[in-house]
Amino acid sequence: MRVRKAVIPVAGLGTRFLPATKAIPKEMLTIVDRPTIQYIVEEAVASGIEQIILVTSQGKSAIENHFDYDFQLETFLKAKNKFDLCEEVSHISNLIDIVSVRQKKPLGLGHAIWTTRNVVGNEPFAVLLGDDLVQSHKPCCQQMIDLFDDVQESIVAIQRVSKEQTRNYGIVEGEPAERPRTFKVERMVEKPAPGTTNSDMAIIGRYILRPEIFDILDKTTPGHGGEIQLTDALLALSRQRSMFAYEFEGTRFDAGDKLGYLKAIVAFGLRHTVLGGDFRRHLKEVAANL
Ligand code: UTP
């Protein structure tokens, strides 16, 4: 089985980023020169994904519009001989086939994934969270698809976190598997209280899931925070068949968190082909005066 589709849930309320997210989806906040969500879609495209399924909610139409064809804008830019800008704008709408489904109530990430069941169908699919950015040589999603091609089982991406941070993540417990950076999942727990796990393997916003997850989500009841948790469904799936945790190569930024967002701007600003050099010099000046 081959991974062709990617689900990007963007239906959350973004309360950690209020007041900025009162009227603007957090996925539309800009990192250097493009919204966060565009980096995520570009990662999926670079990983060979053929269709993206956005899970949206009320107030998120700016995301759909960003990837839509804008006849008026393109005509205006051409009339002003701004062909480079026109090319950039039209490139976004031609990136990939995007469909969207609505999550009518914010009942949790597990519920958001469940709403895509009829569009995904009976095949494995990638999940990329709309506010989780990964900077890496090989796209994180591609790294995971390569592993899936080999193992044909569900995979969660993980990063190491400190003991104090485990309470903010879904945590995986497991043993090293044969392949590099790969672990066989034995147990998973959503946001464990300090001292209740010895593992430092935190799940981040990249997954490859087998379609069996939908039947499990059908029966998953609300868990931590009263939400239908993807982690609970993943634990059930890992009891039915093998599941792997993959320590991806790269750096991940939680752009849905204020500090994570600032770190992402610095990291992506430094790598920017046009602005990177000047930005680096500026940061050195700032650091010298701290
Ligand atoms: P978060 O945990 O970041 O929640 O969701 P949130 O509501 O977006 O933001 P905060 O915590 O209130 O600031 C992780 C991912 O799951 C999606 C979010 O859009 C985000 O990409 N999500 C979450 C949904 O699509 N639906 C939900 O009901 C919950």
Side-chain angles (χ1 to χ4, degrees), residues 166-184:
T166 54
R167 71 175 82 186
N168 300 320
Y169 292 89
I171 298 291
V172 173
E173 293 173 3
E175 291 299 321
E178 277 168 30
R179 293 163 187 81
R181 313 177 80 90
T182 306
F183 301 81
K184 179 105 191 313

Side-chain angles (χ1 to χ4, degrees), residues 146-280:
D146 289 350
L147 178 60
F148 180 85
D149 287 343
D150 206 7
V151 298
Q152 296 286 311
E153 297 291 356
S154 299
I155 305 163
V156 295
I158 51 146
Q159 71 175 22
R160 306 285 176 167
V161 296
S162 67
K163 291 245 176 302
E164 300 75 54
Q165 285 180 315
T166 54
R167 71 175 82 186
N168 300 320
Y169 292 89
I171 298 291
V172 173
E173 293 173 3
E175 291 299 321
E178 277 168 30
R179 293 163 187 81
R181 313 177 80 90
T182 306
F183 301 81
K184 179 105 191 313
V185 173
E186 282 164 9
R187 197 173 153 249
M188 279 180 176
V189 52
E190 183 63 20
K191 302 189 170 75
T196 55
T197 178
N198 285 326
S199 173
D200 63 352
M201 297 195 285
I203 303 175
I204 66 126
R206 298 288 183 277
Y207 310 78
I208 306 287
L209 302 178
R210 289 184 54 102
E212 289 85 353
I213 195 75
F214 291 122
D215 282 343
I216 296 174
L217 283 167
D218 249 343
K219 296 175 215 109
T220 306
T221 49
H224 187 91
E227 295 189 342
I228 297 180
Q229 295 289 351
L230 181 61
T231 311
D232 293 341
L234 289 173
L235 177 63
L237 182 59
S238 73
R239 286 182 178 141
Q240 282 181 15
R241 44 189 314 144
S242 296
M243 183 180 292
F244 293 94
Y246 174 69
E247 197 172 354
F248 67 97
E249 282 184 68
T251 310
R252 170 253 183 186
F253 301 91
D254 179 1
D257 165 81
K258 290 174 187 173
L259 185 59
Y261 177 73
L262 286 176
K263 289 179 182 174
I265 290 181
V266 172
F268 283 81
L270 286 170
R271 286 266 184 103
H272 194 274
T273 43
V274 180
L275 305 170
D278 284 343
F279 188 50
R280 183 177 300 275

